[in-house]
Amino acid sequence: MASGRVRVRFAPSPTGYFHVGGARSALFNWLVAKQAGGDFVLRIEDTDAARNRQEWTDGIISALDWIGIIPGEYEGPIMQSSRADRHAAAAAELFAAGRAYYCDCTREDIVGRAGSEQAAARGYDGYCRDRGLTAGPGRALRFRTPDEGTTTVVDVIRGKPEFQNSTIEDFVIARGDGSAVFLLANVVDDLDQGITHVIRGEEHLPNTPKQQMLWEALGAPEPPVWAHVPVLVNEKRQKLSKRRDKVALESYREEGYLADAMKNYLMLLGWAPPGGEEIVPWSTIEETFRLEDVKPSPAFFDETKLRAFNGEYIRKLSPDEFVAACQPWLTGPTASPPWPPQRYDPAAFDRLARQADAQSRVFVLGEIVEMVDFLFLEEPVRDEAAWAKAMGKGPAAEVLADAIREFATVEWTAQALKATLTAIGERHGQKLGKAQAPVRVAVTGRTVGLPLFESLEVLGREETIRRLRAAADRLPVTT
Ligand code: GLU
């Protein structure tokens, strides 16, 4: 490009939740701009008025912010819809130069001439090419593609795919109402915005020869650097789909994935840091990422691996950071915890999280809620299956009765509580693991959770005994 300055763009269409694949493309673009000391432009391609919603645009901006693409550090957002006049002018220019022609064929006309839908799908037959139609209502504008030769796309990731021009139909660039279609609007904006590198999803590769023809026809001395990043697939090797797979970046954020873990994981979708380590600081990624090293083959979006990654990132937090990171799930307003807000006690949470080492047990921050809800709910959750499992067999009633009695006077520390329950278990022929079950279910409502004795210590003597009594009252009296 003339100035030599690298300018990339991320150009999402605001028609739904922000897709993890979009986030990955955005990060690749961001890094290329950053490494080159160039510019990143956010362009919202909002020309599909029927499907666009302001909230999707807001969602994109906020999701980008979450992964470190921060408003104020990039150009835009530029709304594509604000440039409709410019798109129309480009269409008129192509018509005036003889590079495009008007066409009044209906779909039925085209199918009729081709003989079948299937045959028509092979492309427009050029019927209106030389009819000399001028602009008019219902007349689409088609780009006149060459009949011979090839178009070579030079792609950093894919090499030099070649397209036979004879297979590229005279494609529509403006609709019957005069509005430009994606193919044209996208190129006009890239040209006007001085974009040097187009880094985007593989699904756009078939559009690229057409767009490259438009670049040339609109007077660009050379096409941009193209890079088509690999499609994301699920464990069945199917392309990730909104209906089948969890693809919204927002849902990962809400569940309690850390932005740093997410960013690191997204970068591995098609690329890997040199040296074999996958979990690396962002600064290493910033130094070592190379678009040339991105692999063209489909990238597996592995939720299980992402979860494990997130767990590792959570372990790396300091205890203070961990406690702070949990707060949105404990106090709202983003999440809505199951306890009344006034019952939440930050000091108790802090103590429990540290003493019971919650940080080593959580993979996704939202999981913390179930681990600590017993502390803030008036009554523990009622889970009949857990109840049946812990209370239905063995000497549950005897264990509870002994615990009620002995917990009344024991020193209230995890260690002493453990020793007491161990002795109670032995008395009734049970190992500690078994003897814990009725106590855990009585106090927390669940069969699994944070270490029990630390949990009791934080809950306190009075409330623990009250819950043990309530559970004992529910059990049939044994003789
Ligand atoms: N709006 C297009 C999309 O979201 C942009 C394609 C491109 O980056 O050129 O797929």
Side-chain angles (χ1 to χ4, degrees), residues 84-383:
D85 290 352
R86 186 51 205 120
H87 303 148
E93 183 189 325
L94 291 173
F95 175 67
R99 304 296 301 260
Y101 61 89
Y102 283 98
C103 164
D104 62 0
C105 297
T106 62
R107 186 73 206 148
E108 291 76 59
D109 296 337
I110 296 170
V111 174
R113 284 198 303 272
S116 69
E117 275 287 352
Q118 215 180 4
R122 266 180 244 130
Y124 180 65
D125 61 0
Y127 181 81
C128 291
R129 258 191 176 191
D130 301 309
R131 288 177 64 213
L133 295 177
T134 50
R139 289 182 180 170
L141 187 63
R142 288 184 181 273
F143 186 76
R144 195 187 292 271
T145 61
D147 297 327
E148 283 155 17
T150 55
T151 296
T152 304
V153 168
V154 180
D155 186 299
V156 181
I157 299 170
R158 269 148 227 286
K160 295 184 179 161
E162 278 195 4
F163 298 83
Q164 296 296 325
N165 292 337
S166 59
T167 65
I168 301 176
E169 66 170 347
D170 287 352
F171 55 92
V172 172
I173 55 176
R175 303 179 186 90
D177 63 6
S179 62
V181 304
F182 159 74
L183 286 170
L184 179 63
N186 181 267
V187 168
V188 171
D189 287 356
D190 281 346
L191 269 164
D192 288 358
Q193 290 155 16
I195 300 305
T196 58
H197 292 61
V198 172
I199 305 162
R200 60 182 177 182
E202 179 181 351
E203 67 276 14
H204 286 292
L205 187 60
N207 293 326
T208 309
K210 295 176 185 172
Q211 292 196 305
Q212 189 162 295
M213 288 173 184
L214 291 174
W215 275 74
E216 181 273 320
L218 289 167
E222 57 187 79
V225 175
W226 303 106
H228 288 89
V229 305
V231 66
L232 302 187
V233 295
N234 65 17
E235 69 285 354
K236 294 191 188 121
R237 297 266 137 200
Q238 298 161 318
K239 187 170 183 258
L240 284 197
S241 103
K242 270 189 212 171
R243 262 161 287 110
R244 208 176 30 221
D245 308 295
K246 191 163 71 194
V247 298
L249 193 67
E250 210 53 35
S251 20
Y252 291 95
R253 183 182 184 176
E254 278 164 17
E255 282 177 28
Y257 282 83
L258 299 177
D260 284 348
M262 196 74 207
K263 282 164 69 175
N264 190 162
Y265 184 70
L266 287 171
M267 288 304 298
L268 301 180
L269 301 169
W271 178 77
E277 281 297 320
E278 290 192 309
I279 296 192
V280 293
W282 187 250
S283 55
T284 305
I285 292 177
E286 264 184 19
E287 277 161 33
T288 56
F289 176 72
R290 296 285 173 270
L291 206 47
E292 298 84 318
D293 297 338
V294 174
K295 304 254 175 324
S297 48
F300 175 25
F301 185 84
D302 183 351
E303 230 188 289
T304 312
K305 181 167 171 182
L306 169 59
R307 196 181 139 77
F309 248 65
N310 202 56
E312 295 221 20
Y313 268 89
I314 288 178
R315 305 310 159 246
K316 283 182 206 273
L317 298 175
S318 72
D320 284 347
E321 286 169 335
F322 173 71
V323 166
C326 291
Q327 295 308 312
W329 285 270
L330 302 169
T331 60
T334 34
S336 49
W339 49 78
Q342 68 279 8
R343 287 190 57 91
Y344 176 64
D345 174 356
F349 173 72
D350 194 279
R351 252 181 93 200
L352 179 62
R354 287 171 209 263
Q355 289 184 20
D357 194 13
Q359 190 174 353
S360 70
R361 295 175 159 83
V362 167
F363 283 87
V364 173
L365 290 173
E367 291 166 358
I368 194 71
V369 172
E370 288 201 353
M371 291 184 182
V372 302
D373 61 359
F374 74 94
L375 208 49
F376 309 121
L377 288 169
E378 208 137 348
E379 298 298 336
V381 292
R382 205 159 162 146
D383 172 347

